Amino acid sequence: MRIRKLVAALALGATIAPLATAGNHRPDSKLFHHIATFDVTENAGSEVAEIVDATRNGKTLVYTDSEQGLIGFVDISDPSSPQPDGSVPVGGEPTSVAMHRRYALVGVNTSTTHEVTCVEPGDDGVLGTADDESEDIEFITGWNGELAIIDTQSRVLVHKIPLGGQPDSVAVSPNGRYAAIAIENERNEDVDGGILPQGRETIDSDPCALQATGPSEPGRLMIVDLQGKPTRWSTRSVALTGISDVAPDDPEPEFVDINRANQAVVTLQENNHIVIVNLRNGKIINDFPAGSVYLMNVDTVEEDLIHLDTEIEKRREPDAVAWINNGLLATANEGDYEDEFGDEGGSRGFTIFHKRGDGNPTFESYEAFEHLLVSAGHYNEGRSENKGVEPEAVETGRYGNQTLLFVGSERSNAVGVFQTRGRRAPRLLQVLPTGMGPEGLKAIPRRGLFVASTEAEAFGDGIPTMINIYQRKNGPAAYPMIASADDVDGLPIPWVALSGLAGDPWDADILYAVSDSFLAKGFVYTVDVSAKPALIIDRLEVLSDGLDLEGVAVGPDGSFWLGSEGQSPGGRENRVLKVDPDTGDVLLDIALPADLIDERRSNGIEGIAVTGSAGAEVVYVAIQRAWPDEGDTDESNTKIGRYDVAGGEWSFVHYPLQPEGSGGWIGLSELTHLPDGSFAVIERDKGWGPSTPPNAELKAVYQIDLAGAPFAPYDQTSANGGLVTIDKTLLADLTPLIAKHSIWTAEKLEGLAVAADNQVYAVTDNDGVDDAPGETVFLHLGDLERLGEVD
């Protein structure tokens, strides 16, 4: 097993060396760079973007919006400035779209459903008692669909072809002679636990007791002969029963792609099988099981920690599939089925097969794709017990003399880009950040473009469903901007949610970062900024519970001083910790004054700085937002605290916050001691992105003088606590720079550090990829003396 793992890791480039040197090619080599993001809500009435295709000239994108029952259009004549271009309703749920000449071929699901309320016995096991539990379940009662054909020039639906079943994927052959449609006729997942095969009964008077129900006929492949006008197109059906080992009488085809030899590859996802069909005569020329993968060093427990310590075996259960050439095909092994034994499929990676094979792959990524995303800070720990990074999408394209393979991770919001090399292992080129849940991938080689559309959104946080556009250009990879090296066991150092930053006083190449409460334990990360990208080379666990580390500083004796944010009364306390840099032991644990603790809210200590000598340190902390003692409606002031370690006393001043705008509340996120004795703070709003409220308006660095500030003890009985408000000076507005380096302007600018050579760095918190894109922006801002000149 160890030999197998090492070969896979070296071949895929899952160790950090290839990721860290992803742009280390010839100076004239080309990689993809993000150039634009399109918010699909700019198309009036549109909400999501799932599958995406492009017109023949590559200047218009066409995407499916299943939520609103339409296809949307995006004008990318200027790909750096995509524009809304309208939409067309399709009379049902569009599941897939593929372009043929001037026509968009849209698979539309028109199945009928029936919603019932099932009442199950409560904890006492007796039906009819007070603790009964009810659940509304939507059953599919009639599996049906059609192929909608839309003229993309007139935007008119010109023809519909009945499909007699539920379409899930549409592909058009490169020569334009055929379309192939995967008719899934999906199972009712809430009937009999969703176990295949499902019978053909209809819903009776007691659907909760029904053991099985299924479509009138099994899933199949539909071939459309694209000759003449759409009204003259004819269809042929290819049966897919009796093939797979899993539920052979109940196939559920998921995805289809067509090569230049007019051969279709079809994935039967739940059946864990792959079928090759000759479209000329509709004959199956090969089929084979997708098989299982033995994974090592993966996380399978959702405990708010990333532990790469488990070995599992999983069925591949491929979702998307794409031809690399006429012989090789690649699958994204998402998984979608839990069998009667409770075993769930999904092997967390991708596989390359040969069409004439028997199921033995020519290449398997094993756990290396997941490790790649761990090292990039994109691992979504909340999916560990399910299917990990859950690769769902795969696409190929020929760019110059390279055939590139794109693999999209639905749960980690990223796309891996690889160069295929025939039967040799593919070579990692780069990782691209996306919006939430990338599902539709489209290569547009003739324009040097690649497009990723996302199906998920977090509108409450200002993050819409989006289409991201990348252009192939000369120069090194722009992302990731920070990644992790391998630990002593050869595994990537896990990290997410960087929330504080500090420079090493003696080594200009070293910074320290901390992670917040997204992880159940607090860590201090050592960052080597001489590497490109910046490299996390070590992490130290802080040996204390109940931490939300938001600030880090290095004391005069080399100890770490950490600020841990508290919660409103009843939650964890705000704490200042002095920590041994070698062991992680807490040497001092300091609380805020008791009368101030009584007034606290959940936005507490966010930044920390330290001056003085060993044993006589003076520690400063920034409180993120105004606490209730300032008055429930007064959000204009927050506090900077000072703690005299030798005297054991706290004192405070007020800091004046900017007025709140459309970006939501304003608060502090960092406190940094500057070489001239003054201090810098990060002041920011809650906004994301450029358009959907709350808008990102303020991500700025201000300078303050604390050495001469009139600090005083907090007096609960005096107006404003008896505190004086200090002055501030703007050093730099980083909002434009963060926007330039983000796919959707990041909300949480949380870390600022000045290295020993006066170079300034900043970092954003990626929220652990939880209802967030997961992108980490790590900025080298240049020399401190020119901070105000950054652009």
Side-chain angles (χ1 to χ4, degrees), residues 16 96 549 609 635:
I16 193 60
S96 183
L549 299 182
E635 298 285 333

Side-chain angles (χ1 to χ4, degrees), residues 467-490:
I467 296 175
N468 282 287
I469 302 173
Y470 313 84
Q471 191 164 54
R472 199 163 179 252
K473 302 178 180 179
N474 291 331
Y479 195 84
M481 305 172 78
I482 182 170
S484 67
D486 285 352
D487 61 18
V488 294
D489 296 319

Side-chain angles (χ1 to χ4, degrees), residues 6-200:
L6 179 61
V7 170
L10 291 177
L12 221 184
T15 56
I16 193 60
L19 180 57
T21 60
N24 189 22
H25 307 294
R26 301 187 313 273
D28 60 344
S29 64
K30 292 184 176 181
L31 294 170
F32 289 95
H33 298 259
H34 176 263
I35 59 169
T37 296
F38 178 75
D39 174 356
V40 300
T41 63
E42 291 184 24
N43 255 341
S46 184
E47 289 188 3
V48 302
E50 294 160 314
I51 303 302
V52 63
D53 204 347
T55 54
R56 181 181 296 183
N57 62 9
K59 293 185 177 182
T60 302
L61 299 178
V62 187
Y63 66 89
T64 60
D65 183 339
S66 63
E67 295 290 331
Q68 298 302 307
L70 56 83
I71 62 167
F73 298 88
V74 185
D75 181 354
I76 60 168
S77 297
D78 177 0
S80 66
S81 181
Q83 299 298 315
D85 202 18
S87 61
V88 175
V90 294
E93 176 193 2
T95 58
S96 183
V97 61
M99 290 300 304
H100 171 59
R101 299 199 301 263
R102 63 190 289 176
Y103 301 110
L105 279 57
V106 186
V108 182
N109 177 17
T110 59
S111 299
T112 56
T113 59
H114 177 66
E115 187 173 289
V116 298
T117 299
C118 291
V119 179
E120 300 291 345
D123 294 338
D124 60 2
V126 180
L127 190 63
T129 58
D131 64 347
D132 288 349
E133 298 180 359
S134 63
E135 180 182 5
D136 291 333
I137 298 177
E138 189 174 71
F139 289 90
I140 304 171
T141 56
W143 288 257
N144 212 341
E146 56 196 19
L147 184 68
I149 303 157
I150 296 171
D151 188 320
T152 59
Q153 296 179 14
S154 65
R155 305 295 168 84
V156 172
L157 197 160
V158 297
H159 190 53
K160 291 183 178 180
I161 298 177
L163 297 175
Q166 185 186 61
D168 200 50
S169 175
V170 180
V172 172
S173 62
N175 64 8
R177 293 181 181 178
Y178 308 101
I181 307 169
I183 306 296
E184 182 177 13
N185 288 346
E186 64 181 333
R187 72 197 191 281
N188 272 309
E189 295 188 28
D190 291 312
V191 175
D192 196 24
I195 301 301
L196 293 176
Q198 291 196 345
R200 304 290 176 249

Side-chain angles (χ1 to χ4, degrees), residues 540-787:
L540 173 73
E541 180 184 339
V542 180
L543 301 180
S544 181
D545 295 326
L547 297 178
D548 181 6
L549 299 182
E550 297 285 354
V552 57
V554 181
D557 61 355
S559 297
F560 292 127
W561 287 86
L562 309 177
S564 180
E565 185 176 29
Q567 295 173 316
S568 56
R572 62 175 172 264
E573 300 293 337
N574 286 275
R575 299 160 63 189
V576 172
L577 305 176
K578 182 179 182 181
V579 173
D580 187 302
D582 297 317
T583 65
D585 290 316
V586 175
L587 306 176
L588 285 176
D589 193 336
I590 303 163
L592 292 174
D595 53 353
L596 190 59
I597 289 174
D598 294 338
E599 304 289 346
R600 76 186 189 273
R601 69 194 298 175
S602 292
N603 304 94
I605 293 176
E606 276 279 330
I608 190 168
V610 60
T611 64
S613 58
E617 296 96 339
V618 178
V619 181
Y620 298 87
V621 296
I623 306 297
Q624 186 169 56
R625 295 178 64 192
W627 283 2
D629 62 273
E630 270 88 36
D632 290 339
T633 61
D634 184 2
E635 298 285 333
S636 62
N637 284 321
T638 187
K639 297 182 182 70
I640 303 289
R642 183 179 70 181
Y643 183 76
D644 185 326
V645 173
E649 297 178 348
W650 279 102
S651 55
F652 299 88
V653 292
H654 269 142
Y655 175 93
L657 295 170
Q658 293 295 104
E660 184 176 315
S662 66
W665 58 255
I666 307 291
L668 301 182
S669 283
E670 181 67 289
L671 180 63
T672 303
H673 187 223
L674 301 179
D676 66 359
S678 66
F679 293 78
V681 295
I682 288 176
E683 189 173 348
R684 67 166 179 88
D685 60 18
K686 279 281 293 177
W688 289 85
S691 60
T692 304
N695 307 95
E697 293 183 334
L698 180 67
K699 319 290 179 187
V701 180
Y702 287 88
Q703 184 176 23
I704 54 177
D705 177 14
L706 297 182
F711 281 89
Y714 172 69
D715 183 357
Q716 196 173 26
T717 64
S718 299
N720 295 319
L723 304 181
V724 173
T725 301
I726 61 174
D727 295 326
K728 65 181 183 181
T729 302
L730 178 65
L731 285 181
D733 178 7
L734 300 183
T735 312
L737 192 61
I738 296 172
K740 178 181 178 181
H741 291 280
S742 303
I743 57 171
W744 194 253
T745 309
E747 173 204 352
K748 294 184 177 180
L749 176 62
E750 296 249 329
L752 183 77
V754 180
D757 58 357
N758 277 4
Q759 295 296 296
V760 184
Y761 300 86
V763 71
T764 65
D765 178 350
N766 75 354
D767 275 336
V769 207
D770 183 20
D771 282 335
E775 184 180 25
T776 297
V777 179
F778 186 87
L779 299 172
H780 179 195
L781 301 174
D783 192 270
L784 177 62
E785 297 300 321
R786 305 187 66 181
L787 183 59

Side-chain angles (χ1 to χ4, degrees), residues 189-246:
E189 295 188 28
D190 291 312
V191 175
D192 196 24
I195 301 301
L196 293 176
Q198 291 196 345
R200 304 290 176 249
E201 295 85 359
T202 58
I203 292 176
D204 62 14
S205 58
D206 185 9
C208 301
L210 189 66
Q211 294 302 304
T213 184
S216 57
E217 62 179 287
R220 60 192 185 281
L221 182 71
M222 185 75 79
I223 302 172
V224 184
D225 294 302
L226 305 176
Q227 297 179 9
K229 296 181 179 180
T231 54
R232 301 186 62 183
W233 294 351
S234 60
T235 61
R236 294 175 280 138
S237 183
V238 179
L240 300 174
T241 54
I243 296 175
S244 62
D245 294 330
V246 178

Side-chain angles (χ1 to χ4, degrees), residues 385-415:
E385 290 181 7
N386 294 281
K387 294 170 281 186
V389 298
E390 203 165 320
E392 181 179 21
V394 66
E395 167 74 327
T396 59
R398 182 76 176 178
Y399 292 81
N401 61 357
Q402 295 181 335
T403 298
L404 303 185
L405 172 66
F406 305 87
V407 183
S409 166
E410 180 183 10
R411 300 298 181 175
S412 289
N413 305 343
V415 172

